[in-house]
Amino acid sequence: MHTDTDIDTDISPSSVWPLPVRGDAFERADADILRRMDAISAATACAKLNGMGVSRTAVQGPTALEVGSRVVGSALTLQFMPQREDVASGLGQEYVERNTALWAVLETVQPGDVLVVQAYGSQFTGCFGDMLVRYFKRRGGAGIVVDGRIRDAARVRELGVPIWCTGTTPHYASQTDLFPWAYDVPIAAGGVLCLPGDVVVADDDGAVIVPAGKALELVEDAEDHENWEDFSRLRLEEGARLSDYYPLSPNSRAEYERWRAEQNALQR
């Protein structure tokens, strides 16, 4: 890890420990995988990962700020840490904050990124407000998942950026108990490990972190799952028995394979 020297340093956040801390370079998620993942729900991603042996993937706490929100993207990470007045505190408000990881990570946002934030579920830290979300959107950011709160809720909603958070607060980011510390580092968001470059899938059910190394396997498995669920819905609407079609039995699986072959032939 290293400290970032490309941001304004006229006011240093800390004389005790060099801030902000920045992790090593990382690879963003593959664009084709993200495109294919766009059809996969958070629930399906979570279930499939559990079947693959990765059980802690659902970020606990944050919910969609707006019903109907959805995002799939490559994870950027931001870590807040508890304030300690001899190291860093929120005194000086944004004049100090602009030299922290909070400002610095926004300068690294690329189109399609999802910013995932470790904030310990704090009720008193407004990790993002109107101006920062506005800048995030202008840089092409796709969405934000924060296990903490935001501020300026009315204006943020108007921006239309999909956000998952634990609520709202009038406090600014470092006003009380936390301080923006590091970015591009492993974080714990809502009890889930998130590494830079992991895939984030979030919708009305919540946010799921897909390990980068599992993303292709998940996509291939989940695409089949989503397809046979479409088939099962069709049969249930026609009056079929639930136990025959959810999940598929050996007989209904064979029927599904024939149905899928017919659908593929029609699309050619």
Side-chain angles (χ1 to χ4, degrees), residues 5-257:
T5 58
D6 296 331
I7 60 174
D8 182 17
T9 56
D10 59 342
I11 301 178
S12 175
S14 174
S15 60
V16 175
W17 192 269
L19 295 177
V21 173
R22 184 177 188 181
D24 295 330
F26 67 95
E27 291 187 11
R28 283 171 167 80
D30 180 78
D32 183 62
I33 289 178
L34 293 179
R35 178 188 60 77
R36 294 168 66 184
M37 193 82 73
D38 195 50
I40 298 170
S41 68
T44 295
C46 184
K48 290 300 179 182
L49 286 168
N50 187 69
M52 294 160 60
V54 185
S55 59
R56 295 175 66 90
T57 60
V59 180
Q60 300 301 303
T63 58
L65 186 65
E66 289 287 288
V67 174
S69 295
R70 175 171 171 80
V71 75
V72 174
S74 184
L76 283 180
T77 61
L78 171 64
Q79 179 194 60
F80 281 74
M81 292 286 275
Q83 288 193 28
R84 207 179 80 181
E85 285 76 6
D86 66 314
V87 179
S89 74
L91 298 177
Q93 202 168 339
E94 62 263 23
Y95 294 101
V96 170
E97 284 182 359
R98 72 184 184 188
N99 295 283
T100 69
L102 179 55
W103 258 242
V105 72
L106 294 177
E107 299 298 343
T108 73
V109 173
Q110 295 183 18
D113 285 346
V114 176
L115 184 54
V116 185
V117 186
Q118 174 179 326
Y120 307 94
S122 171
Q123 301 179 44
F124 310 108
T125 297
C127 299
F128 293 92
D130 170 33
M131 294 299 183
L132 299 191
V133 176
R134 190 175 298 271
Y135 190 65
F136 175 81
K137 179 180 180 180
R138 186 174 72 78
R139 291 191 60 89
I144 297 171
V145 177
V146 51
D147 68 338
R149 303 203 171 194
I150 67 161
R151 61 185 295 200
D152 304 329
R155 288 185 180 274
V156 168
R157 285 189 175 96
E158 291 175 358
L159 293 172
V161 175
I163 293 177
W164 286 258
C165 61
T166 61
T168 61
T169 178
H171 293 137
Y172 59 83
S174 60
Q175 187 170 345
T176 57
D177 55 347
L178 299 179
F179 193 84
W181 187 269
Y183 64 111
D184 293 352
V185 298
I187 62 169
V192 175
L193 175 64
C194 181
L195 305 181
D198 282 343
V199 178
V200 182
V201 180
D203 55 27
D204 281 338
D205 286 340
V208 171
I209 306 300
V210 180
K214 298 288 187 181
L216 178 58
E217 181 183 353
L218 182 144
V219 164
E220 292 173 345
D221 192 7
E223 284 176 339
D224 176 71
H225 184 100
E226 295 283 352
N227 287 335
W228 73 251
E229 281 201 344
D230 287 342
F231 168 75
S232 294
R233 291 187 190 96
L234 177 64
R235 290 293 183 263
L236 293 177
E237 289 294 331
E238 293 172 345
R241 286 166 52 90
L242 177 66
S243 58
D244 290 336
Y245 287 92
Y246 194 81
L248 293 179
S249 67
N251 288 338
S252 58
R253 179 79 197 194
E255 182 185 349
Y256 159 68
E257 295 293 351

